[in-house]
Structures are given as structure tokens and as C-alpha cells.
Amino acid sequence: MRAVVFTSYGAADVLHPEEVAAPDAGPGQVRIRVRAAGVNPFDWKLRSGMMAGGAAAPEEPVVPGLEASGVVDQVGDGVTGVAAGDEVFGLGSATYAEQAVLRAWAPKPANLSWEQAAGLGVAGETAVRALGLLGLRQGQTLLVHGAAGGVGQTAVQLAVAEGLRVIGTASERNHDLLRGLGAEPVAYGDGLPERVAALAPDGVAGVFDTAGTQLDDLIAVTRSPDRVVTIANYGAAEHGARFTGGGGDAAAALARVGELAASGRLGVRVSGTYDLAAAPAAHAHSESRTADGKIVLTVS
């Protein structure tokens, strides 16, 4: 099958198309014919060598990708409730390819395009997991830091659907976007606690940080570091805040976001669409940190 791989660490141009062996679905997995694959910051951090521990190159060619949408063409042992021909989205590995194996999946909402569905898995699972750790109740106030990114937008919509009041940080150019999702926007940067206090004088019940910046300000907003959950600040625990990088019930999270998307209460904004062979350009777009939604590779 055709896939995008890298055999050395470096800039986006180390990505290139190559013919590789198709994977097989193992126990508890499904294989799909990929229609679209999401691009995430983890992908280019891996490709750059940021996570290589000083190694000059991977031991074997690496196919990036954590999420995709497509049509099931193989079902692993022990899997029930899904069959060849079903349209799904989900989480897996090596998804920059014509075929990929998913470890967790849900039915593709009919009202989402393949590109939108491909971008729902990582953001959806992450947002559900983080909001679950905060455990806020209907009517409480949540601050989403970095609310205009892919995970942030999904978290805003999930929180609104759960009856929370949402304040979201973003650059001025994205404030209308956040208002459209049901959040009250504020600018990040110096003076953030004061701006949040002007909107919520009684404070906020929890903070979900997707940006990894201004941790001290976010703690000041909640007045309690354990009310801050971050996916982007690896030193958070040293300050009493909570870092989460996985461990949730992915299948349940995907089912939840899929249901919300199918009902029209959760949308996926696609910021850029690229052909599979244009993966270097997609990575460059992601690394620019200018995307106001998901970046997606399409497979024809």
C-alpha cells in the first residue's frame, strides 16, 4: 500500500511517499481503507526527533498518524458490533496510509465529511478525558486556554453541551469563532487573570489548558492548582496542576463525540486539507501554529 514515511529525523521534507506492507487487524482492532487522516502536533514532534532521546534516526521507517476516518475492510478477533463496509472514525497508528489499523472507533456521523470525521478522534478523546478529570457540574464556569485550536474548539462545544458556562482564551482574530461556538472570548497574555475576573468575579470552577502557557496565571484564575488540567505543560505537576496524556476510555469518548456530532451539537472546523503526498506542506502548516481548526490528509 501507499504510505507517507520518514527514515530520518528532521524538517518536514523528510516525509516522503513509499510502498509499504499493509497492516493486519489484531485482536480487538479493525483495519480501514483510509479516506482521510488527521495531522496533530504529536506527528511533527515525532518526525522532528524531539522525542527520539538523541537518536540520529529511527530504527525502521515510520508511518506517522494517530487518527483517521474510512471504511472497515478487516475485523480482528473478538471484535463485535462492526463489520466490513462500515464507515467509521477513530484512533490508531500509522494512519498516513491507504490502510490503517484502529484501536478505538465509532460510527462516522453521516452529517460530517470524511475530512471532518478524521479530525474528530484525537480532539474528541482528549477533550472528553480532560473534562472528565475536572468533573464540573451544570452551570459552573470553565476556562479553556487555547480555545481556538482543534482540541480547544471541541472542548468548548462539549462543555456547552453539558450545560457549562465557557470562557475561552484566543487571539483577537478568533474571538468571533469562539462566540459562534458558545464561549465568551478573552485575549491571552499579560493581565489574563484580571480579564477573566471581569467576566467571572466569583472565579472559575476549572481550567482546561491546551496551550501549555501562562500556568501561573491559570492557577491564579482558579485559586487552586488542582483545578487546572493541562495536556501541554509537562511541568504542571511541580506546581500542583494535573497533566493528562492518556488513559481514558477511548471507545466511550469517541461514541460520545460521535453522537454529539450526529445531532449537530458538535462540529469540526477543517483549517487545511492536503493530499497524502503533500504531507510535508501539512506538517509545515501545523508547525506554523496558525491553524484555526484541524489539518487533514486525504487519501484517494
Side-chain angles (χ1 to χ4, degrees):
M1 68 173 186
R2 184 169 56 109
V4 167
V5 309
F6 63 87
T7 54
S8 60
Y9 298 118
D13 59 6
V14 302
L15 296 169
H16 59 276
E18 191 170 296
E19 292 292 320
V20 302
D24 287 317
Q29 301 175 331
V30 300
R31 188 180 69 187
I32 62 171
R33 289 199 169 273
V34 177
R35 296 295 299 273
V39 174
N40 292 282
F42 177 87
D43 303 344
W44 52 260
K45 291 176 182 177
L46 180 68
R47 181 222 74 222
S48 71
M50 191 181 298
M51 302 178 179
E59 295 182 358
E60 56 186 26
V62 177
V63 180
L66 300 172
E67 61 182 346
S69 62
V71 180
V72 175
D73 71 355
Q74 189 182 75
V75 177
D77 290 343
V79 174
T80 60
V82 66
D86 287 352
E87 298 181 351
V88 299
F89 73 96
L91 301 172
S93 59
T95 59
Y96 290 17
E98 291 180 320
Q99 291 172 286
V101 169
L102 301 182
R103 61 179 175 83
W105 60 90
K108 172 189 168 293
N111 56 327
L112 295 190
S113 67
W114 290 111
E115 292 82 5
Q116 289 172 311
L120 187 56
V122 168
E125 188 280 329
T126 303
V128 169
R129 172 166 32 92
L131 294 182
L133 289 172
L134 286 170
L136 303 188
R137 302 185 305 277
Q138 185 175 357
Q140 290 186 307
T141 300
L142 167 74
L143 175 67
V144 178
H145 185 49
V151 175
Q153 290 183 39
T154 301
V156 167
Q157 294 175 87
L158 280 168
V160 169
E162 292 172 4
L164 301 179
R165 179 193 180 194
V166 183
I167 299 171
T169 69
S171 59
E172 295 280 356
R173 64 186 176 85
N174 286 319
H175 282 193
D176 285 344
L177 167 63
L178 295 188
R179 290 187 185 96
L181 298 178
E184 300 168 58
V186 295
Y188 49 73
D190 291 344
L192 176 62
E194 291 76 16
R195 288 190 293 277
V196 173
L199 288 174
D202 295 329
V204 302
V207 174
F208 176 28
D209 167 38
T210 76
T213 60
Q214 296 189 249
L215 180 60
D216 289 340
D217 286 339
L218 301 181
I219 291 172
V221 164
T222 62
R223 307 187 183 105
S224 179
D226 67 337
R227 303 309 300 157
V228 177
V229 170
T230 179
I231 59 170
N233 191 316
Y234 297 99
E238 299 171 9
H239 300 266
R242 290 182 286 173
F243 174 83
T244 178
D249 185 338
L254 296 182
R256 171 65 174 156
V257 296
E259 290 168 0
L260 286 173
S263 70
R265 290 181 290 168
L266 192 157
V268 180
R269 183 183 180 92
V270 176
S271 181
T273 302
Y274 298 83
D275 182 76
L276 186 65
H283 272 219
H285 187 179
S286 180
E287 287 181 85
S288 75
R289 301 182 185 274
T290 59
D292 59 359
K294 292 295 298 191
I295 298 170
V296 179
L297 300 174
T298 59
V299 182
S300 55

